[in-house]
Amino acid sequence: MSKYSKYSRFFHIFVQMDKYITEAAQKILHSSHLNAFTGAGISVESGIPPFRGEGGLWNTYDPIVLDLDYFHQNPLEAWTVIHKLFYDFFGKADPNVAHIGLAELEKMGLLKTVITQNIDNLHQEAGNTDVVEFHGTAQTLVCTSCNKKFNKNEIDFSSLPVQCNHCNSLVKPDFIFFSEGIPPVAYARSVHEAESADLLLIIGTSGEVMPASMIPHLAKNKGAQIIEINTDDNIYAHASNDIFLQGKAGEIITKLIHEIKTLRNE
Ligand code: NAD
Ligand code: ZN
């Protein structure tokens, strides 16, 4: 390939991307009920790796610690890993420009609800006020016997495994482990919000985790348009996408908000 044709191909891709950003910004401005659906990819720029793939957490840690039977049979070992990953490591992360951008879209009156598969609380920390946590949260914990609830700030993590101060049983984080069902309230709200949206912004999810991966399809079946942001173009919702924006969530959302403000003459 000549130097010129290589250059013109990159130039073409660049121009195409700008065109898609403008189209996506127009769709957002014309939407009446925009919701977002996010996965681990939106938190990567906050320093939290996804579970799978290159650099994924499960390359370093054994996911068996999130198996309920294993957790009950090996509470100290499981809690040692869970504490390290989900309280020590995740707890130090801050929202990145993608989370902050979604909060800005809400403040601009353009975004209603964020349905997230993440358990890191970063959407709330960024300022979104309506966040549905499809897989639960690490912020609260629950006794596996008497169901007493705890806020993570009440827990003394220096003494593991975490035990209930009421009945002494094992306490587990309020996010779901493998084979556990989706929290019913979060499930019902997610389905409702997927079906109420006329535009869904999907960010940083591989769609490998069921039943979360049905959310875009529920929205699409009710007539919503879909904008998807992902670094990887080999993704599941591709078939139902109206616009696919390839790139890092932070960079794409920054461009989108800039374009929305330009279109609004702000
Ligand atoms: P996943 O790990 O299966 O996929 C992550 C997706 O994000 C991939 O498609 C990848 O291409 C994309 N991605 C990576 N970096 C990106 C970036 N900078 N910008 C945009 N996209 C990027 O994640 P999933 O689909 O959410 O499913 C994994 C499960 O693991 C979920 O249940 C989630 O709860 C859980 N999880 C949560 C966290 C968290 O709370 N931050 C972290 C790891 C895993
Ligand atoms: Zn208890």
Side-chain angles (χ1 to χ4, degrees), residues 143 145-148 164 166-169:
C143 172
S145 179
C146 74
N147 289 330
K148 184 172 177 190
C164 177
H166 178 66
C167 75
N168 246 6
S169 301

